[in-house]
Amino acid sequence: MSKGRVEVGSVSKNFSLGGSKTVDILDNISFSAKANEFLSIVGPSGSGKSTLLKCMSGLLKPTSGTIAINSVDPYSLKPSHLAKMRRSEIGFIFQSYNLVPALPVFENISLPLRLSRKSIDKSVVEEMLRKMNFNAELTSFVDTLSGGEQQKVAIARVLVTHPQIIFADEPTGAVDAESKQIIFNILRKLADEGACVIMVTHDVDLAAMTDKALVLKNGQIRQTLTGSSASEILAEIERK
Ligand SMILES: Nc1ncnc2c1ncn2[C@@H]1O[C@H](COP(=O)(O)OP(=O)(O)OP(=O)(O)O)[C@@H](O)[C@H]1O
Ligand SMILES: [Mg+2]
């Protein structure tokens, strides 16, 4: 079985607006990402980047087309098997963090491991947060943290599970410039060590440092850029 691989085949997604009205968000998208690869998805707000990431990761069934995660269609699985696949093979860093507000930092980060009945080493969590310049306490409730601190908790929660495939939706959207570079370096290292990393970002400087930047516009992948500079990527995003 090919590990750390995601294949997107002719995926379209539309949303119902009530009655017979629908809105088309993704239009016949095909590409794949594999182990050791760090891919970025860029495009204007509302172009469907988060929708695409959710479709790719088993969170949102496409209207048509196919998704294969390590050669398996996640939407063909029973809910319990899909949940297991998502726990064991995938990490998803949400744009909106999706933390549990009623739990402290450490409990939020250890939750996925507890669900998988794996042990959790407090010093590993501390070290991961320290690397990201996280300054709050492990005992703080996450709803008392700043947006940037919550984002770091959301990232740590995914990284402690060592996923083969990491979906990161704007993982640096709320953090300062130094933390942004640190988080990028962490994701880069994971890809270099064998993970497949797919990151949505508005930051063209970061996109330029990934292996491939997919430019999403009007529901389609307009360009796949390799070795392009930040200004070249920006020009593609803004091109009519
Ligand atoms: N469940 C839904 N029902 C109806 N429309 C939706 C739904 N989810 C998303 N959309 C619409 O689909 C479009 C794409 O949304 P999406 O969140 O994928 O954009 P995005 O590229 O991630 O934007 P941003 O850069 O602002 O995060 C938007 O117009 C949004 O309103
Ligand atoms: Mg989004």
Side-chain angles (χ1 to χ4, degrees):
M1 200 206 285
S2 49
K3 284 291 175 195
R5 187 170 177 85
V6 188
E7 285 151 289
V8 180
S10 305
V11 161
S12 296
K13 179 70 188 173
N14 53 46
F15 289 113
S16 169
L17 295 178
S20 58
K21 274 196 177 166
T22 59
V23 55
D24 298 331
I25 303 299
L26 303 176
D27 177 15
N28 200 25
I29 289 186
S30 300
F31 67 97
S32 62
K34 59 183 192 297
N36 274 121
E37 206 167 33
F38 191 173
L39 221 95
S40 53
I41 300 173
V42 295
S45 261
S47 57
K49 303 181 297 298
S50 295
T51 304
L52 176 57
L53 220 54
K54 286 177 191 163
C55 286
M56 291 178 76
S57 58
L59 286 170
L60 185 67
K61 193 177 191 303
T63 309
S64 61
T66 56
I67 300 291
I69 298 173
N70 293 332
S71 308
V72 175
D73 173 2
Y75 301 104
S76 70
L77 298 175
K78 288 198 300 192
S80 60
H81 288 174
L82 174 58
K84 184 162 181 261
M85 173 200 248
R86 298 200 58 247
R87 277 203 305 273
S88 59
E89 294 170 39
I90 294 173
F92 197 108
I93 302 168
F94 287 91
Q95 184 169 17
S96 48
Y97 319 137
N98 283 21
L99 300 173
V100 185
L103 290 179
V105 168
F106 181 71
E107 277 67 21
N108 262 280
I109 295 173
S110 53
L111 198 58
L113 289 171
R114 284 225 303 274
L115 290 173
S116 304
R117 296 191 176 80
K118 289 189 180 138
S119 62
I120 175 112
D121 187 339
K122 200 167 179 186
S123 63
V124 171
V125 173
E126 278 168 343
E127 173 62 12
M128 191 170 286
L129 289 171
R130 193 196 53 74
K131 259 195 227 158
M132 285 192 277
N133 286 345
F134 180 86
N135 293 315
E137 297 294 326
L138 285 189
T139 51
S140 300
F141 284 89
V142 292
D143 56 359
T144 66
L145 302 179
S146 72
E149 286 164 342
Q150 291 188 39
Q151 187 150 46
K152 291 172 186 176
V153 174
I155 292 169
R157 182 178 57 177
V158 163
L159 299 187
V160 290
T161 66
H162 302 293
Q164 300 159 5
I165 304 171
I166 300 169
F167 297 98
D169 196 351
E170 283 285 348
T172 62
V175 301
D176 58 70
E178 188 185 342
S179 299
K180 178 177 94 173
Q181 192 60 49
I182 292 169
I183 290 165
F184 178 86
N185 291 347
I186 290 172
L187 294 175
R188 174 79 262 177
K189 185 159 180 274
L190 289 170
D192 291 344
E193 289 170 355
C196 168
V197 182
I198 302 155
M199 173 179 73
V200 164
T201 186
H202 280 287
D203 191 311
V204 288
D205 292 313
L206 291 191
M209 291 188 279
T210 61
D211 299 327
K212 236 185 240 175
L214 309 185
V215 182
L216 188 65
K217 280 185 92 169
N218 299 329
Q220 296 183 327
I221 293 180
R222 283 284 191 84
Q223 290 283 340
T224 302
L225 302 172
T226 315
S228 299
S229 67
S231 55
E232 286 164 342
I233 295 172
L234 187 60
E236 277 305 325
I237 296 170
E238 290 177 344
R239 197 161 62 87
K240 292 282 174 244

